Each structure stands twice: as C-alpha cells, then as structure tokens.
Amino acid sequence: MPASFLGEVFGTMVLILFGNGVVANVLLTQSKGNGGGWIVITTGWAFAVMCGVFTAAALGSPGADLNPAVTIAVMLRGGYNVGTAVMHIIAQFIGAFIGATLVWLTYLSHWEVTKDPGLKLACFSTGPAINNPVNNIITEVIGTFALVFIIFAIFSAKGATGGSPASGLGPYLVAALVWGIGLSLGGPTGYAINPARDLGPRIAHFVLPIAGKGDSNWGYSWVPVVGPIIGGAIAALLANALGM
C-alpha cells in the first residue's frame, strides 16, 4: 500500500464533506442555506477542492488526486505505476463514501422534512438536467478534459508564470479551476468530473437509512464514471503529445 493511501482517503473525504455538504445546505428543507442557488454550490465546491488538496498533501499524498480520472491521467503520463494508481482509486472511493456519510449525519434532521427524493439524491450524486446519455457523456468528457488538461498546464514548467506554481499556491489555482468549470460547464450534468465523487456517495445513498430517499438512479450512474475517465485520458494523451 503506498504511503499516499491515507492522504487520498482523508483528502477525498474532506472534498465530499464540503462539496456535497454545500449541496445539502442549498437544497434541503429548513436548512439555513436553502435556496442559495448555483453560485453558492459552485463556490462551496471550489473551497471543497482546496481543503481536500491541502488535507491529502498533509497526510502523505502530495499529488492530491482525489479523483480516479486524475489518477489514471497521471498514470498515463508515467507518474504512477498501475499498483499505486489502483490503490489511490480505492482510497478515493473509501473517502468519498465516508464523506457522504458525514453529510448525511450533519443534516440528519433535514432528510425527513425534505419531501422531494430527487433533492435528497442530488445531495449525494449528480444527475442530468436533460436526460440524454450521449449528450451527458459528451458534457462529462469535456468537463473532465478541461479539469485535467488545465491542471497539467498549471503545474507545467512551461506555464504562464514561467515555472510551476510557488509552494502552496497550487490548491488555490485548482480550486479556482473547479469553480470555473462549475460556472461554465456544470449546467447540463452537474459537473461530476470525478467517478469517486459521484459513485461513492451514490453507494452511500443506496445503503444509508435516509428518510424517504427514493431510488439511487443507477441507470445514470455509469455516465459520471465513464465520461470523466475518457476525458482525463484524452487530456493526458494530448498533454504528452504537445510536450506539456
């Protein structure tokens, strides 16, 4: 087991605790943030990324992937061997499940008073605004391509700053990137752009005793897994081809 396993578990846990937490705050009945809207959600997710990256790095995962699509992309660029990549992905799913469980506990009084099961599911996993699997896949591929390709650009020695970011600046830049993706590309599918972020909490939704939760929409669950993996792989291959 790589030393970075623990960092990926806790970093992803923090990512989901804050990210899915802001969705719950905005959507659940009688929450003080109820009705806060898309700007609040995208901003909360940006802070979630920042906090998750710092946590992962502090606990032994300096790359702070927090995302199987990122891990696979880094592996395709020679940054990890297959064994390390697999352990990172396992850690990310564990952390995502724990984070979602903590969100459930945080808002324990609000599930029963929230009558719409769709809003409850949205606090755990993404769903399309218009259900069209082909178009939804395309959206997730583009969003994740943007995420991974621009991450490589941010940390490239050929970057606009004349070198890689100063120590400690990277998490803020990636958080701003995720904020931008949510604002610009998040409308069609809710910008999962991360298989662990979607599937781990979806499993939590399925197994937790959430009052009046409804189904977990397994028919859509493959889209936010397959799309991000494709998008991340394309980003890695293009970055290699361009010498980024």
Side-chain angles (χ1 to χ4, degrees):
M1 181 180 297
S4 51
F5 184 88
L6 194 65
E8 290 294 322
V9 169
F10 279 90
T12 310
M13 180 194 76
V14 168
L15 171 73
I16 299 302
L17 175 61
F18 280 29
N20 285 22
V22 71
V23 178
N25 191 23
V26 168
L27 297 185
L28 294 181
T29 300
Q30 295 184 32
S31 168
K32 290 184 180 293
N34 182 256
W38 191 245
I39 300 298
V40 172
I41 289 174
T42 56
T43 304
W45 268 106
F47 288 132
V49 170
M50 180 194 71
C51 294
V53 169
F54 275 121
T55 300
L59 290 174
S61 184
D65 299 341
L66 314 183
N67 183 341
V70 173
T71 297
I72 291 170
V74 172
M75 181 187 70
L76 290 174
R77 301 200 74 193
Y80 298 133
N81 60 41
V82 174
T84 298
V86 169
M87 293 308 296
H88 275 202
I89 292 170
I90 291 172
Q92 291 154 9
F93 275 98
I94 292 171
F97 183 90
I98 296 171
T101 301
L102 293 175
V103 172
W104 169 63
L105 291 171
T106 300
Y107 287 91
L108 198 57
S109 299
H110 295 267
W111 306 108
E112 187 172 0
V113 297
T114 302
K115 301 307 179 184
D116 185 347
L119 295 180
K120 298 173 190 181
L121 178 59
C123 299
F124 291 86
S125 56
T126 62
I130 299 174
N131 189 16
N132 184 313
V134 173
N135 293 347
N136 302 150
I137 278 280
I138 291 171
T139 296
E140 287 293 331
V141 168
I142 292 171
T144 312
F145 169 82
L147 172 71
V148 176
F149 191 74
I150 297 171
I151 285 175
F152 288 149
I154 288 171
F155 291 98
S156 172
K158 301 177 182 179
T161 58
S164 59
S167 178
L169 186 59
Y172 300 105
L173 297 176
V174 176
L177 168 60
V178 173
W179 194 11
I181 290 172
L183 291 173
S184 300
L185 307 176
T189 61
Y191 71 118
I193 60 174
N194 181 338
R197 169 266 176 275
D198 195 272
L199 185 56
R202 194 182 299 269
I203 294 171
H205 177 271
F206 179 73
V207 302
L208 291 172
I210 303 165
K213 64 181 178 180
D215 69 75
S216 302
N217 195 12
W218 291 110
Y220 179 78
S221 64
W222 63 277
V223 172
V225 172
V226 174
I229 291 173
I230 294 172
I234 293 172
L237 296 175
L238 185 59
N240 283 345
L242 296 175
M244 185 180 288

